[in-house]
Amino acid sequence: MAPKDKDSTPPKKKVLDLIEEPKVQSRRDRQRAAQTVADTPAPPSALDKAKAAALDIFEDAGKKKRTTVRKTEQSGKSALPTISKLLEEEPAPAPEVPATPPPSAASVSPVVPVAEEPAAEEDTGNIISIKPPIIVSELAARMSLKPFVLLADLIKLQIFVAPHQAIEPDIAARVCELHGFIFEREKREKGGGVHKIEEVVVEPAAPQDEPEDLLQLRPPIITIMGHVDHGKTSLLDYIRKSTITKGEAGGITQHVAAYKVEHEGKPITFIDTPGHAIFSDMRARGADITDIVVLVVAANDGIMPQTLEAIEHAKKAKKTIIVAINKVDLPSANVMRVKTQLAEKGLQTVDYGGDVEAVEISALTGVGIPALLELLALQAEVLELKANPKGNARAAIIEARVQPGRGATASVIVETGTLKTGTPFICGPFAGKVKSLINDRGESVKEAKPGTPVEVIGFDEMPNVGDSLVEMDSIRAAQKLADERQLDRRNDRLQLTRKSRMEDLFSNVIDGTGKAALKIVLKCDVQGSVEAIKNAIGDIKSDKVNTQVIIAAAGPITEGDIQMASSADAVVLGFNVKVEANAVKAVKSEGVQVKLYSIVYELIDQVREAMLGLLEPLTRENIIGHAEVRMVFKLSKSKGRAAGSYVTDGKIHRKSHARVIRGGVPVFDGKMSTLRRFQDEVDEVKSGMECGIRLGEFNEYQEGDIIECYTLEKIPQGL
Ligand SMILES: Nc1nc2c(ncn2[C@@H]2O[C@H](COP(=O)(O)OP(=O)(O)OP(=O)(O)O)[C@@H](O)[C@H]2O)c(=O)[nH]1
């Protein structure tokens, strides 16, 4: 595949140019660029929009852009020869390297050696190659930048790391591109010790601030929220049925996750799936596509707990709220009461002197619904919702399911670009190609424009709600990115089990691998205990282990504390405090150790014992392999089900422990009860082979589950 250079310079010449003129971008230019990035004002809803806002910086005046990344392979199969090979063929350019190269190239040879050992990483002009782990400070040094400049870029990508921490290759490629560098990942070849440089495929960035002339109005995307039984479904049904023409009536009986209606020639898209779920699933993934929230409140019931929750969600996401006061046909309806309650919750309706639009409707009789649609269309005009239909296609997954005869399908709403049949795509960790598109009326269509809901057929695996389906150049590039993401996920899972634990602390010191630092997030009931405990911990002396209290504060253990502990690899110690519900989830997903105490001395003693290696011996997990469930077999009644699996890496061992992982989350953990190859019980099955697996009494296997096999190793105690 030809490299995607912006100009027409042939690939070979381009590389030589880079070598001959390493001053592709001066340090000042780069610093200015970095400063511009650092100065870019944060968008109003910093957290959920940060990713999109940050991706903005990779767009060149809104133009669609793919990150470069042609690399060299020793095999020479690549379209671009290795740099060293080029130099062999054309040795002339070497002496032309400027006598005083710019800082980034000062200590750099233009030749990338193909060595027996992975040599020290070398820069070639503006090409940076680093073998993972890619440490932020090291990458910054290669670009002659201060680490904080890269950290600012990374924060805009919602990546919160410290300078000494590692980032993923595709992220490195993005920040490199931002500063005028090309990132290449080096990889050590198995066995031979020779390293080759790998292609890094990057997902095209989400477009922001496209040039005005490319943008066209798109339909607003509406999510309906409200308390149970207040009439959300009835309202959606009424709108759908009342806005279709008679001839189409037959086509709307099937369930759709979203549909588009027209009100007086203006299109409006409704998401027809439980508002709360879609909100939390999608917002959790930063794929927040709703433009307007319609808050349904039953006039006879008034504001109820889920109404409040919906208000919270919508406010947090900074969405425009339009209130539909429903069931006004009922004699018990009390519209005034609803408006008063709304005002008490900070939603002052227009007739109460506020700016929240409210419409009185009946989803049963249809009263007020045209007025509601009118208001939505008007609001959309005010919001000036636009997208570039010619840009790179990007769509948000709002529902995914397996359909007989179609396999895994997903309902998506196109955010930008035009999604067409035949388009190769990446969606989370899966690659695919759009085989067909079905619109909300069950008709097959060739394409879907921004704001349009459509069912996509062409997934090999079921995608996750909230993930983005993004058009890629080729199925090969999509597959490559998918492979990398799957590998990263596996590595992430492995790392989860490697988080710091107090019990492990001293064993790290013993085997010489540890940093010998116990990092602590300390949360206490009152500030007085915070100070007292922090001082007491500081007084514990050990010549092998240091403590570092990275947070010391009063209050419950929050999700933020867990995130901080996770990124700093710290343990969380709580004194007389509870763990908030969200934090409990984070503890599970991040694998952070939390220890709670109600006696000060117990806390201090445990820290001391950890530092002296006196805590209970602990078992450590060693992951030995993974298998993917390809088919679920029903055994005779008493025996339940077995998982027909394919060993994807390492090996599966009958005497080991194993867990079933679904969508990245462990759903069962236990001992292997059966391991078979065909009819035979076997002890071990290696990578690339199929086998039948049963774990304990577990029977709920699903295709696509990952079985992770591990052994437990006892960590020796103390000195
Ligand atoms: N009288 C009257 N009844 C309504 C109206 N809208 C909905 N209902 C009735 O209220 C009940 C609940 O309506 P749904 O549309 O299922 O409410 P929902 O909010 O979708 O409920 P969940 O899906 O359970 O959250 C049903 O029996 C509807 O027929 C209305 O405007 N007037």
Side-chain angles (χ1 to χ4, degrees), residues 477-612:
Q479 193 56 58
K480 178 133 189 41
L481 189 52
D483 290 348
E484 273 178 21
R485 287 183 177 178
Q486 283 177 23
L487 189 71
D488 288 347
R489 284 195 179 192
R490 255 181 235 150
N491 290 342
D492 283 352
R493 280 204 303 270
L494 289 182
Q495 273 175 7
L496 271 187
T497 60
R498 292 193 188 136
K499 286 262 144 68
S500 267
R501 296 178 61 88
M502 292 227 291
E503 293 84 348
D504 288 347
L505 179 70
F506 210 72
S507 65
N508 287 339
V509 180
I510 296 164
D511 67 17
T513 59
K515 297 270 189 308
L518 175 61
K519 292 187 192 153
I520 296 172
V521 168
L522 175 68
K523 295 300 289 276
C524 305
D525 51 353
V526 289
Q527 193 58 32
S529 5
V530 174
E531 295 305 326
I533 294 175
K534 197 175 152 197
N535 291 338
I537 290 175
D539 287 343
I540 305 172
K541 295 287 172 242
S542 160
D543 50 1
K544 289 183 179 157
V545 179
N546 290 322
T547 51
Q548 193 186 343
V549 180
I550 58 171
I551 294 180
I557 295 168
T558 64
E559 193 183 353
D561 295 328
I562 303 299
Q563 302 292 6
M564 177 59 91
S566 175
S567 59
D569 207 9
V571 295
V572 179
L573 306 183
F575 175 69
N576 273 343
V577 288
K578 64 170 191 161
V579 184
E580 286 187 346
N582 281 346
V584 173
K585 278 192 208 154
V587 169
K588 284 187 191 148
S589 63
E590 301 290 321
V592 168
Q593 185 181 34
V594 177
K595 291 201 156 216
L596 301 176
Y597 303 88
S598 55
I599 301 169
V600 175
Y601 298 109
E602 203 181 318
L603 189 158
I604 310 287
D605 284 352
Q606 282 225 342
V607 172
R608 182 179 296 111
E609 283 171 13
M611 291 173 69
L612 298 175

Side-chain angles (χ1 to χ4, degrees), residues 226-235 296 306 326-330 361-365:
H227 191 70
V228 61
D229 274 355
H230 277 199
K232 302 175 292 289
T233 313
S234 307
L235 174 60
V296 176
Q306 279 178 284
N326 192 30
K327 304 196 186 184
V328 294
D329 58 294
L330 290 176
I361 63 159
S362 166
L364 205 65
T365 66

